[in-house]
Amino acid sequence: MLSRFPAETHGELFGSGDGVPLAAAPFAPMGRLVPIDGDDGYRVSGRWEWATGIWHSGWCLVHGFDEGVELGTRFAVVPVGDLLVEDTWHTSGMRATGSAAVVLDDVIVPAHRTVAGDDLRGAVGAVAGDGLAGLPLLSVLALVSSASAVGAAQAAVDRY
């Protein structure tokens, strides 16, 4: 998903030399992005549930309604340090997912760290050699998301 952001963002995300960055990505559009007049950025506010992996991530990809586009959404990638992380995930079966709720309250995000929702969902990635980035995003997410359910079902059959 990060490879689908503008090339200007890639230096921030991939240029540290630490390998591929980890980014939690609550997918539901639970926030709002307000364009800044005369500036090249957005004011981002919202609260997102199920930011899986947030405790181990350096970035978080949030999704909200772009108030500059009628019925449009926009994704923004923000450093975890800009977020308030709420420890809300207390389940017995999936505790190790490192999920939590995340909150942004009027945080300014530069435009190059945002992408229109339709562009992110429909575009192919821009990082050369990334095979998954060349596939439709929703198909990849469906495949990846179903893996834990298939594994749990297989374990139940094996134990039976």
Side-chain angles (χ1 to χ4, degrees):
M1 290 171 68
L2 295 176
S3 71
R4 296 162 192 255
F5 276 77
E8 183 180 355
T9 311
H10 293 178
E12 290 179 74
L13 298 172
F14 303 106
S16 70
D18 294 333
V20 177
L22 297 177
F27 208 65
M30 301 301 293
R32 61 184 169 79
L33 289 83
V34 180
I36 298 172
D37 290 336
D39 197 0
D40 194 28
Y42 291 83
R43 292 186 178 279
V44 182
S45 297
R47 183 175 186 277
W48 295 265
E49 294 282 349
W50 307 313
T52 299
I54 193 67
W55 302 113
H56 311 292
S57 298
W59 296 90
C60 187
L61 183 64
V62 297
H63 187 199
F65 289 95
D66 181 345
E67 293 193 3
V69 179
E70 185 176 356
L71 301 177
T73 66
R74 180 166 290 276
F75 287 87
V77 62
V78 297
V80 168
D82 289 354
L83 298 161
L84 169 65
V85 180
E86 296 179 350
D87 188 8
T88 56
W89 191 249
H90 301 281
T91 66
S92 59
M94 293 182 65
R95 185 166 294 172
T97 65
S99 297
V102 294
V103 179
L104 287 172
D105 185 18
D106 203 33
V107 171
I108 295 174
V109 177
H112 71 272
R113 280 202 263 129
T114 74
V115 66
D118 286 344
D119 291 345
L120 186 126
R121 288 185 297 268
V124 295
V127 175
D130 186 351
L132 287 178
L135 299 173
L137 180 63
L138 295 179
S139 299
V140 171
L141 291 177
L143 176 67
V144 170
S145 297
S146 64
S148 60
V150 171
Q154 183 63 53
V157 169
D158 291 348
R159 287 183 184 248
Y160 177 74

